[in-house]
Amino acid sequence: MKQIDIDDILKDIEVLIDKRNTGSLQNILIDLHPADIAQIISHVKKDERIYLFSILPPKVASSVLAELDPPLMEELTEELGVEKISAIVDEMDSDDAADFVSSLPDEIVPEILDRIPEEDSDEIKQLLHYDEDTAGGIMALEYVALPMDATVEQAIQEIRRLKAEQEVTDIFYIYVVDDENHLVGVVALSDLVLAEDYTTLKEIMKTDLPKITPDMDQEEVANIFRKYDLVSMPVVDQENHLIGRITIDDIVDVLEEEGSEDMAFIAGAPDEEITEGSISKLARARLPWLMVAFLGELLAAFILNQFDVTLRHKLMIAFFIPVIMAMGGSTAQQASVIVIRGLATGDLSLRDTGPRLLKELKISFLNSLFFATVLFIIVYLWDSAFFAGILSVSIFVVINNAAIIGALVPLTFKRLNIDPALAAAPFISTTNDILGILIYLTITTVVINFGM
């Protein structure tokens, strides 16, 4: 299928939708990739997307549905009957079908599973037992497995049969198993086609391919794919029985999902989809994080009130509060984002806590020394050496404190099995605002009282 520019055909699509020209629309859509159709559906109005999706054949609809964001998927399925949904589920690969069924209302799931073939229904039920963020939640049960004594010719015939019956797609490896379905090796498709027909799989199989278990976190699985440049991996149980496989297209989705989730946490807007249309739902998702910032800044205001004598003593003290807060918050955000990214990619682990904190402290020492010097010069020329000294010491301490907090909190969250990205939400910035003000005004008060 050729790549297209959606904007080039969107107006024509909308005109055909207005005319309810089903035939012309189907002729256009049938030549498009499911991802392009999904993008078109996401750009048209609600009533238009419902009509557009309703005219798709079940096979195409199943592929399109797997490409849609959850809010649009939910919106469309609300308009479909159980019969239409069942037909779509029947056309899906096991992993996509399980993801889709898990998003449906609980009351219609049993009826849908009863309407599809028993084998497909059993596969979906099996996958629904796994958490959605684990390897089991993204694996597919369709794969090609043969015994060690099978020949290359037999393997190719089996692949042709499975493809003709649409039992499996995107074949990268032949999995070699023993009589009890233990995984003993893999044969790459490239090695298969280059070998002689009479060669057995045992002669050309490799036994060093990484394996994963269904309870492994999907982010860890993605890191293994990235580290070893893999396109597919087998999934085995604790006894090394082959139970499924994960392919690179699933990993691309995981990387996008994890990246979007981390960005959402950093912005303080978790679980928010771009295509979500409910304003009240979006507001409710953001409200708790804004409340954290609101309560934190109220605490900062309370701290300011406790230092009212100091602030009345010299008004210029208040002028530099935004500078102190901004430098502390920015430093903490820099440190936390770097650590969160390192934990997400596997470049950092909990064993690196000590070295990472030391590295952040060295970086912050140099930066804080620079800004303390700059601030001293500015305030010295503006006011006095006495107040310049107070500010330079304050900003030096605040920046170093913020760097340690920014690096330590994500690592602590990771140790507690909490998503480290939560640390970069309003939690860190608000905490550093509070601590920055407290450090600044405490140093100022002590020095002024001592100086007096």
Side-chain angles (χ1 to χ4, degrees):
M1 295 182 182
K2 62 180 181 179
Q3 184 177 352
I4 64 164
D5 186 343
I6 298 300
D7 293 333
D8 289 341
I9 66 169
L10 195 55
K11 289 184 179 179
D12 294 334
I13 295 279
E14 289 173 337
V15 170
L16 292 173
I17 291 175
D18 288 338
K19 295 179 178 179
R20 291 298 190 264
N21 193 332
T22 302
S24 297
L25 282 169
Q26 288 177 329
N27 287 336
I28 293 174
L29 297 175
I30 201 69
D31 291 329
L32 300 181
H33 190 278
D36 292 325
I37 301 175
Q39 190 176 356
I40 291 171
I41 288 176
S42 67
H43 280 76
V44 298
K45 298 175 184 177
K46 180 178 179 179
D47 59 331
E48 294 176 337
R49 69 171 63 112
I50 291 172
Y51 164 71
L52 198 61
F53 188 78
S54 68
I55 67 174
L56 296 174
K59 180 65 176 178
V60 178
S62 66
S63 300
V64 172
L65 206 58
E67 300 286 347
L68 290 172
D69 291 334
L72 292 182
M73 184 188 297
E74 181 180 339
E75 178 185 293
L76 291 172
T77 52
E78 284 178 355
E79 303 297 326
L80 301 174
V82 172
E83 184 176 349
K84 177 75 171 180
I85 294 176
S86 301
I88 291 173
V89 171
D90 190 34
E91 295 290 346
M92 288 180 159
D93 289 337
S94 58
D95 53 339
D96 292 332
D99 290 340
F100 176 50
V101 170
S102 67
S103 69
L104 296 173
D106 293 339
E107 59 269 18
I108 69 171
V109 170
E111 186 176 353
I112 289 172
L113 294 179
D114 286 341
R115 286 174 172 262
I116 63 177
E118 184 177 356
E119 181 181 355
D120 295 338
S121 177
D122 290 341
E123 288 181 347
I124 293 173
K125 291 175 183 177
Q126 178 182 340
L127 291 174
L128 288 176
H129 287 302
Y130 299 110
D131 187 86
E132 64 178 352
D133 293 330
T134 63
I138 59 173
M139 76 174 178
L141 302 180
E142 297 87 3
Y143 54 82
V144 183
L146 291 168
M148 290 185 289
D149 57 0
T151 65
V152 167
E153 182 179 11
Q154 290 171 332
I156 292 175
Q157 289 175 352
E158 178 66 5
I159 292 173
R160 288 170 177 168
R161 183 188 69 80
L162 292 173
K163 289 291 288 183
E165 297 176 3
Q166 298 184 338
E167 292 291 328
V168 64
T169 58
D170 301 324
I171 300 171
F172 302 103
Y173 293 103
I174 307 296
Y175 297 110
V176 185
V177 295
D178 62 16
D179 294 338
E180 296 179 351
N181 202 44
H182 292 108
L183 181 66
V184 294
V186 297
V187 177
L189 201 60
S190 57
D191 293 333
L192 189 73
V193 298
L194 292 174
E196 298 292 341
D197 290 347
Y198 53 82
T199 305
T200 64
L201 298 185
K202 183 179 181 179
E203 296 176 71
I204 57 174
M205 72 179 186
K206 295 179 180 178
T207 59
D208 58 350
L209 187 74
K211 295 174 289 189
I212 52 180
T213 55
D215 57 347
M216 186 180 291
D217 186 87
Q218 64 176 10
E219 195 168 358
E220 186 178 350
V221 176
N223 287 333
I224 294 175
F225 266 79
R226 181 183 61 85
K227 181 178 180 180
Y228 296 106
D229 294 325
L230 301 173
V231 293
S232 181
M233 282 184 67
V235 182
V236 297
D237 62 16
Q238 297 299 328
E239 288 76 37
N240 199 41
H241 294 110
L242 180 63
I243 59 174
R245 64 163 184 165
I246 295 175
T247 52
I248 189 64
D249 59 310
D250 301 307
I251 298 304
V252 171
D253 292 339
V254 168
L255 293 173
E256 191 277 333
E257 177 187 330
E258 294 289 343
S260 297
E261 184 181 81
D262 287 351
M263 289 298 295
F265 279 133
I266 291 171
D271 301 325
E272 181 174 318
E273 296 284 351
I274 295 296
T275 53
E276 177 60 64
S278 172
I279 300 301
S280 61
K281 186 174 181 179
L282 294 175
R284 288 196 302 272
R286 297 185 188 186
L287 186 61
W289 303 92
L290 293 175
M291 183 60 71
V292 171
F294 177 73
L295 295 176
E297 298 308 329
L298 281 181
L299 180 57
F302 175 77
I303 292 173
L304 285 171
N305 182 62
Q306 302 305 302
F307 290 92
D308 61 327
V309 174
T310 301
L311 293 171
R312 283 201 302 269
H313 178 79
K314 189 174 182 63
L315 183 60
M316 185 173 281
I317 294 172
F319 296 169
F320 290 91
I321 289 176
V323 176
I324 297 295
M325 293 173 64
M327 294 307 298
S330 297
T331 300
Q333 284 289 77
Q334 286 180 339
S336 64
V337 169
I338 293 300
V339 171
I340 290 167
R341 180 58 183 161
L343 291 171
T345 59
D347 295 329
L348 280 179
S349 68
L350 293 177
R351 292 180 300 176
D352 302 315
T353 298
R356 188 68 225 181
L357 292 178
L358 182 60
K359 185 174 183 178
E360 289 299 328
L361 188 58
K362 289 178 180 178
I363 295 170
S364 66
F365 178 83
L366 294 177
N367 287 338
S368 61
L369 192 62
F370 171 80
F371 284 107
T373 303
V374 172
L375 194 58
F376 180 88
I377 294 171
I378 293 172
V379 179
Y380 173 75
L381 296 174
W382 187 356
D383 186 82
S384 65
F386 178 72
F387 188 49
I390 293 175
L391 274 168
S392 60
V393 171
S394 297
I395 200 168
F396 179 85
V397 175
V398 167
I399 289 178
N400 282 286
N401 176 75
I404 294 301
I405 291 176
L408 184 59
V409 173
L411 289 165
T412 302
F413 278 28
K414 180 70 173 180
R415 186 175 295 277
L416 297 174
N417 291 322
I418 302 173
D419 191 334
L422 283 168
F427 178 81
I428 276 188
S429 58
T430 303
T431 300
N432 275 285
D433 285 349
I434 296 169
L435 291 176
I437 291 174
L438 185 61
I439 291 170
Y440 171 46
L441 294 181
T442 299
I443 291 174
T444 303
T445 301
V446 170
V447 174
I448 287 177
N449 290 337
F450 180 78
M452 294 175 60

